[in-house]
Amino acid sequence: MKKSRFTEAQIVGVLKEVELGAKVGDTCRKHGISDATHYKWKSQYSGMSVPHRAQMRQLQQENAKLKRMYADLVLVHHALKDVVERKL
């Protein structure tokens, strides 16, 4: 995935600027983004502050790690199950 040239803090700042009453078009022009990017960011980051977003990212990383661990355990389980069935 392409890395954004804006940090999460900058993205939240742009969204806050619009929430405080600035026009979307003017704000987008000022920061060099498209309206579509603004609305995409709004759907992803709306209502979040920077600490909340950092916490969410940490939870997503932990969730991905747990999913990998589960997948590894399922593979081991199926391998052992095949071994046991062959012996019978």
Side-chain angles (χ1 to χ4, degrees):
M1 184 157 83
K2 184 178 176 186
K3 185 173 178 351
S4 175
R5 63 185 180 135
F6 293 93
T7 65
E8 291 178 346
Q10 290 172 325
I11 292 170
V12 170
V14 170
L15 294 175
K16 292 278 186 197
E17 191 174 324
V18 172
E19 285 178 10
L20 294 176
K23 293 185 179 178
V24 173
D26 295 339
T27 305
C28 291
R29 210 171 305 110
K30 176 182 168 186
H31 294 285
I33 60 172
S34 68
D35 288 353
T37 300
H38 172 267
Y39 289 113
K40 180 181 169 190
W41 287 352
K42 185 177 178 182
S43 69
Q44 291 176 344
Y45 295 91
S46 66
M48 287 191 196
S49 62
V50 177
H52 287 124
R53 183 66 186 160
Q55 183 181 15
M56 177 182 273
R57 187 179 343 99
Q58 181 184 10
L59 290 173
Q60 287 172 340
Q61 290 172 347
E62 184 179 351
N63 193 22
K65 179 183 172 186
L66 292 172
K67 283 182 180 182
R68 282 191 301 273
M69 288 172 52
Y70 175 75
D72 291 341
L73 287 174
V74 167
L75 287 173
V76 170
H77 173 74
H78 285 297
L80 292 174
K81 190 175 180 182
D82 288 342
V83 169
V84 169
E85 287 178 358
R86 288 183 192 156
K87 287 187 178 182
L88 296 177

